[in-house]
Amino acid sequence: MITSIAFTVYPVSNMERARAFYEHVLGLHVSYHYQDVWVEYDLGGATFAITTTETGHTPGAKGAIVAFEVSDFEAFAHKMKERAVSFVTEPFDTPVCRMAVIEDQDGNHITIHKRKS
């Protein structure tokens, strides 16, 4: 029986560059790393990871994406624009949320998301 998602992982081509983006631009905090080829970030009961190990996946491959819930959507989106992060989809509203899609230097898409009350 499946009880939860253990982790979501993105392949990256350059760990130093990827860590700079995820930690210094997005503000994630490392919870675990293994020999600078696998880095994990724990977020609200879930784990997001990046890796340079050969997992059969190509950095920047289009497919599944991660969505990060943010506490203040407008402030976070503004900060990303100030930091020259590439927006794939500009901020927009749906009936249940406000969101946008940004990308890292490998072209991996990241949804920033805020549920409406």
Side-chain angles (χ1 to χ4, degrees):
M1 172 187 237
I2 297 172
T3 59
S4 67
I5 295 173
F7 62 86
T8 301
V9 62
Y10 273 179
V12 296
S13 61
N14 179 298
M15 186 58 78
E16 182 178 349
R17 182 182 71 184
R19 287 190 67 179
F21 178 79
Y22 286 98
E23 295 166 27
H24 303 297
V25 176
L26 295 186
L28 300 183
H29 299 282
V30 175
S31 56
Y32 173 80
H33 75 85
Y34 176 73
Q35 298 181 352
D36 271 342
V37 299
W38 181 277
V39 178
E40 293 182 356
Y41 307 94
D42 289 339
L43 302 161
T47 298
F48 173 74
I50 55 176
T51 185
T52 55
T53 61
E54 176 51 50
T55 59
H57 302 282
T58 304
K62 305 303 180 227
I65 62 171
V66 66
F68 292 137
E69 187 74 10
V70 297
S71 57
D72 183 335
F73 182 87
E74 297 307 325
F76 193 85
H78 180 74
K79 184 186 294 185
M80 293 302 99
K81 288 182 183 279
E82 284 183 335
R83 294 178 176 178
V85 172
S86 176
F87 276 72
V88 175
T89 305
E90 290 293 324
F92 68 97
D93 288 300
T94 75
V96 297
C97 70
R98 182 146 174 82
M99 61 191 228
V101 180
I102 60 176
E103 68 181 359
D104 70 10
Q105 297 91 338
D106 281 308
N108 291 310
H109 289 188
I110 302 149
T111 297
I112 55 174
H113 182 272
K114 177 65 177 160
R115 289 179 188 92
K116 293 181 180 177
S117 305

